[in-house]
């Protein structure tokens, strides 16, 4: 148990004569109780008083909150429950985490990137799992592996500092030494990642997203770039990111797109998004020279100077024949993954697996056996088309580059026609909507635009923004109706992509979290079509 005196000493403050012992600390009322110390951090939604009463209802006896000077406020309904205000240090959360959660697994991998975080963490986790190595992974798909930790806010990309520290500490306490997690730009910008929580870092990709939060591409880049300063052993950087951005070797750099809808440095320099040119080459090289670890590049190619590479001989809807090299280890075989970007994500995962002590013979035996699978909602084939051939795919693609990459991958499978259903989230980066519409129109035979997670934004306005890029697209507000209509349009050999929500099992409409899942709608529609065909 941790005493209040222990907390006072660590924080360097006086909290009066209250004597209490704590088994845990929390920022969240749903994870609180009588022996939990609660830190009340106000937000746009809740004041300190709101949080205090929510925590008191859970039985919390001591709440700490920042104030200009010492003040102790008692719950009028229960006088042994208090909220103590004090001029706490700015890094109070970090200090509390060090007091309550000092443990760390020995092998930790953090993955950042506009796209590819979830897949890379999933592939690394699958390699550990199939190698019978105890592990924990944390990110968009929640907490998975050998730790039972039920906490709703763990289902965001990067949890808050205390939660992440708690899961790291609990993993180490249970002798689980391998840990992989997603490091979002928000998480990096808000310093949610402990300084001792990254042995291997991976940077999968960089393209436009989250300008509603970061405001400029420069700020977004800086947040992603900061992961490198946390890496202790190595930083694996996708070759495209390294060459095109780190070394600034081109005056007109696209985000992996060779289409009229490319986003280039020249575009960025003249727009509100802001230019990346101000990140001078000299600064980048100076930073890299001061890194505490090696910077290792990986990517697509054969006989390159990269530390790790993947050469794709041929692809089909069932997988790809590839040659993979990790350092000096070379393997050729079939991988059950579709898309060059997934091949790159697998190479990154293999690199981290190897650097954290994994055996590559074991890893490639696992891959050859077909044990590595695409994570839920990431270019996931739900079923064949209603008239045979082709297929219906769902993907989480919600950025211009991700949508382009997925559509390009599906076009390479040579369908008779390619259709796409997608929308854009409300209260998020509005500048990407028209670009995504344009990409859809240029790369699909037909397009239906629909609701994603509109939240509090007017859904019609969102569709208007998208349709500026795809004026010929059909508008169907109801996502279920849109998916059903798209399936009805399919002919033999067609492929349909349902993009934007992937694995998500809900839809946010204002403050209502509605139960909704794309693949479930597909299965229900296909079941009805099959039943109707039998009756006929």
């Amino acid at each position: 148990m941790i005493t209040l005196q222990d907390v006072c000493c660590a924080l360097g403050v006086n909290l009066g004569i209250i004597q209490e012992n704590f088994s845990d600390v929390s920022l969240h009322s749903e994870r609180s109780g009588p022996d939990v110390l609660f830190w009340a951090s106000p937000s746009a939604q809740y004041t300190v008083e709101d949080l205090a009463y929510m925590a008191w209802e859970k039985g919390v006896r001591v709440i700490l909150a920042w104030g200009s000077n010492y003040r102790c406020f008692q719950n009028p309904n229960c006088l042994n429950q208090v909220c103590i205000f004090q001029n706490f240090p700015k890094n109070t959360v970090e200090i509390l985490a060090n007091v309550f959660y000092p443990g760390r697994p020995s092998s930790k991998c953090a993955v950042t990137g506009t796209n590819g975080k979830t897949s890379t963490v999933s592939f690394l986790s699958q390699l550990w799992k199939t190698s019978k190595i105890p592990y924990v992974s944390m990110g968009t798909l929640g907490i998975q592996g050998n730790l039972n930790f039920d906490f709703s806010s763990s289902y965001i990309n990067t949890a808050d500092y205390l939660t992440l520290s708690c899961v790291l500490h609990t993993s180490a306490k249970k002798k689980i030494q391998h840990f992989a997690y997603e490091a979002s730009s928000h998480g990096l910008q808000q310093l949610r990642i402990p300084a001792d929580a990254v042995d291997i870092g991976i940077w999968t990709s960089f393209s436009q997203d989250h300008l509603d939060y970061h405001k400029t591409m420069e700020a977004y880049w800086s947040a992603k770039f900061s992961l490198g300063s946390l890496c202790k052993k190595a930083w694996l950087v996708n070759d495209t990111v390294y060459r095109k951005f780190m070394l600034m070797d081109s005056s007109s750099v696209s985000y992996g797109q060779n289409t009229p809808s490319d986003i280039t440095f020249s575009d960025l320099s003249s727009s509100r998004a802001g230019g990346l040119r101000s990140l001078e080459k000299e600064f980048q090289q100076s930073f890299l020279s001061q890194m505490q670890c090696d910077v290792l590049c990986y990517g697509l190619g054969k006989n390159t100077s990269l530390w790790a590479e993947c050469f794709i001989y041929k692809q089909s809807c069932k997988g790809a024949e590839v040659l993979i090299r990790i350092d000096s280890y070379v393997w050729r075989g079939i991988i059950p993954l579709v898309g060059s970007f997934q091949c790159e994500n697998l190479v990154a995962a293999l690199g981290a697996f190897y650097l954290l002590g994994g055996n590559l013979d074991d890893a490639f035996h696992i891959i050859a056996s077909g044990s590595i699978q695409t994570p839920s909602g990431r270019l996931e084939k739900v079923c064949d088309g209603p008239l045979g051939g082709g297929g219906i795919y769902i993907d989480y693609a919600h950025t211009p580059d991700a949508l382009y990459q997925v559509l390009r991958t599906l076009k390479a499978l040579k369908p008779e026609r390619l259709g796409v259903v997608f929308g854009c989230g409300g209260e998020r980066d509005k500048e990407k909507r028209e670009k995504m519409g344009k990409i859809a129109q240029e790369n699909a035979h037909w397009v239906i635009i629909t609701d994603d997670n509109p939240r509090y934004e007017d859904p019609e306005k969102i569709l208007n923004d998208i349709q500026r890029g795809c004026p010929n697209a059909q508008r169907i507000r109801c996502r279920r109706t849109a998916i059903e209509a798209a399936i009805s349009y399919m002919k033999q050999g067609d492929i349909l992509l349902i993009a934007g929500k992937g694995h998500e099992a809900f839809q946010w409409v204002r403050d209502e979290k509605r139960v909704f899942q794309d693949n479930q709608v597909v299965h229900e529609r296909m079941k009805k079509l099959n039943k109707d065909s039998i009756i006929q």
Side-chain angles (χ1 to χ4, degrees):
M1 297 288 278
I2 305 295
T3 69
L4 191 59
Q5 187 59 40
D6 294 331
V7 174
C8 290
C9 291
L11 294 173
V13 297
N14 179 13
L15 297 178
I17 61 173
I18 298 173
Q19 300 294 318
E20 287 287 354
N21 296 324
F22 309 102
S23 64
D24 206 352
V25 62
S26 180
L27 298 172
H28 305 276
S29 60
E30 70 268 22
R31 208 178 125 244
S32 298
D35 61 348
V36 175
L37 176 65
F38 187 82
W39 173 255
S41 179
S43 64
Q45 189 174 6
Y46 298 113
T47 66
V48 169
E49 185 176 1
D50 294 332
L51 294 169
Y53 277 100
M54 290 164 66
W56 282 334
E57 287 181 1
K58 295 291 185 178
V60 171
R61 292 193 294 269
V62 178
I63 297 169
L64 304 183
W66 189 90
S68 57
N69 48 57
Y70 176 82
R71 181 165 60 93
C72 185
F73 171 63
Q74 293 178 304
N75 180 357
N77 300 317
C78 185
L79 298 182
N80 69 342
Q81 292 181 311
V82 298
C83 180
I84 303 172
F85 292 86
Q86 180 59 285
N87 188 10
F88 292 105
K90 290 182 178 179
N91 62 335
T92 290
V93 171
E94 180 180 344
I95 294 171
L96 291 174
N98 291 338
V99 171
F100 285 87
Y101 310 127
R104 296 289 183 267
S106 60
S107 300
K108 305 168 291 295
C109 179
V111 183
T112 198
T114 307
N115 307 305
K117 295 185 294 295
T118 301
S119 291
T120 303
V121 167
S122 175
F123 294 149
L124 178 55
S125 299
Q126 291 180 62
L127 289 170
W128 283 334
K129 180 179 181 179
T130 314
S131 299
K132 302 195 182 312
I133 297 173
Y135 78 96
V136 172
S137 67
M138 190 173 185
T140 308
L141 300 180
I143 295 178
Q144 300 182 343
N146 299 91
L147 183 67
N148 183 15
F149 191 95
D150 184 18
F151 185 42
S152 59
S153 72
S154 67
Y155 286 84
I156 60 175
N157 293 114
T158 308
D160 63 81
Y161 193 104
L162 273 182
T163 301
L164 180 54
S165 297
C166 176
V167 180
L168 286 162
H169 174 79
T170 306
S171 299
K173 190 175 179 180
K174 292 184 177 293
K175 311 299 183 185
I176 301 170
Q177 299 300 338
H178 290 76
F179 194 100
Y181 62 101
E182 298 178 34
S184 68
S185 60
H186 292 66
L188 290 163
Q189 177 75 29
Q190 295 167 10
L191 306 178
R192 296 186 213 158
I193 298 174
D196 59 353
V198 187
D199 295 307
I200 303 297
I202 299 175
W203 191 351
T204 61
S205 61
F206 181 77
S207 62
Q208 180 180 337
D209 201 11
H210 303 306
L211 293 189
D212 55 301
Y213 176 77
H214 294 290
K215 306 305 179 187
T216 68
M217 288 298 291
E218 182 179 48
Y220 182 37
W221 163 269
S222 296
K224 294 290 190 187
F225 192 69
S226 68
L227 177 63
S229 64
L230 299 174
C231 301
K232 299 298 184 291
K233 293 183 178 179
W235 191 17
L236 297 177
V237 181
N238 186 288
D239 180 52
T240 301
V241 175
Y242 188 86
R243 284 188 297 105
K244 300 297 187 182
F245 294 104
M246 291 284 215
L247 300 182
M248 303 296 180
D249 66 355
S250 172
S251 60
S252 183
V253 180
S254 78
Y255 294 158
Q257 303 176 27
N258 295 309
T259 73
S261 57
D262 277 0
I263 305 164
T264 65
F265 270 149
S266 55
D267 292 334
L268 294 171
S269 298
S270 61
S271 71
R272 186 186 70 81
L276 291 175
R277 288 184 179 277
S278 60
L279 294 173
E280 299 293 343
K281 181 177 179 178
E282 292 77 10
F283 168 77
Q284 304 283 16
Q285 292 178 331
S286 173
F287 181 89
L288 292 175
S289 68
Q290 297 174 34
M291 291 280 290
Q292 301 178 45
C293 66
D294 292 331
V295 177
L296 306 174
C297 290
Y298 70 93
L300 299 175
K302 186 179 181 182
N303 300 323
T304 68
S305 60
L306 299 176
W307 180 77
E309 65 185 13
C310 177
F311 181 77
I312 303 172
Y313 290 98
K314 59 182 179 181
Q315 293 192 74
S316 71
C317 61
K318 294 182 179 180
E321 182 182 353
V322 300
L323 183 144
I324 295 176
R325 179 178 58 79
I326 306 294
D327 200 1
S328 60
Y329 192 106
V330 180
W331 176 85
R332 179 170 177 171
I334 305 294
I335 59 175
L337 303 175
V338 178
S340 59
F341 57 91
Q342 288 291 43
C343 295
E344 288 185 287
N345 293 333
L346 178 61
V347 168
L350 283 163
F353 178 80
Y354 171 66
L355 292 169
L356 292 173
N359 185 300
L360 287 177
D361 285 325
D362 293 342
F364 286 113
H365 177 73
I366 292 166
I367 293 169
S369 70
S371 298
I372 297 295
Q373 300 295 322
T374 301
S376 175
R378 270 62 180 177
L379 201 49
E380 175 187 354
K381 185 175 181 179
V382 182
C383 60
D384 288 336
L387 299 179
I392 301 174
Y393 292 79
I394 61 171
D395 191 83
Y396 195 52
H398 58 280
T399 68
D401 182 54
L403 185 61
Y404 173 78
Q405 296 292 346
V406 174
L407 286 171
R408 185 179 70 168
T409 295
L410 294 176
K411 282 173 70 176
L413 301 180
K414 297 180 169 44
E416 291 296 323
R417 298 183 308 162
L418 175 59
V420 59
V421 177
F422 81 102
C424 290
E427 300 179 330
R428 297 295 185 266
D429 183 0
K430 299 178 181 179
E431 293 192 3
K432 67 183 180 181
R433 295 172 183 172
E434 182 177 348
K435 294 168 185 172
M436 291 180 69
K438 189 173 183 180
I439 288 168
Q441 181 165 289
E442 291 172 350
N443 291 279
H445 292 91
W446 47 270
V447 180
I448 296 177
I449 56 176
T450 188
D451 284 358
D452 188 279
N453 292 314
R455 300 181 177 86
Y456 281 93
E457 192 171 350
D458 179 5
E460 292 292 345
K461 182 181 181 303
I462 296 173
L463 296 188
N464 289 342
D465 291 343
I466 298 170
Q467 197 153 31
R468 279 195 284 270
C470 51
N472 297 327
Q474 182 180 1
R475 298 168 63 125
I476 302 177
R477 277 277 315 280
C478 173
R479 192 173 181 93
R480 174 180 289 275
T481 303
I483 292 172
E484 291 174 347
I487 293 173
S488 71
Y489 297 160
M490 294 181 71
K491 299 178 180 179
Q492 187 173 14
D494 285 357
I495 286 179
L496 170 64
L497 171 66
I498 304 168
K501 293 180 61 61
H503 67 285
E504 290 181 348
F506 57 84
Q507 186 177 36
W508 282 109
V509 180
R510 297 187 67 80
D511 60 352
E512 182 183 355
K513 189 176 182 180
R514 299 177 181 175
V515 175
F516 187 94
Q517 196 160 13
D518 286 347
N519 63 5
Q520 183 178 345
V521 174
V522 172
H523 284 305
E524 289 173 357
R525 184 60 179 171
M526 293 298 292
K527 184 177 180 180
K528 185 177 187 306
L529 289 174
N530 291 335
K531 183 179 179 181
D532 290 346
S533 64
I534 293 173
I535 293 174
Q536 292 174 2

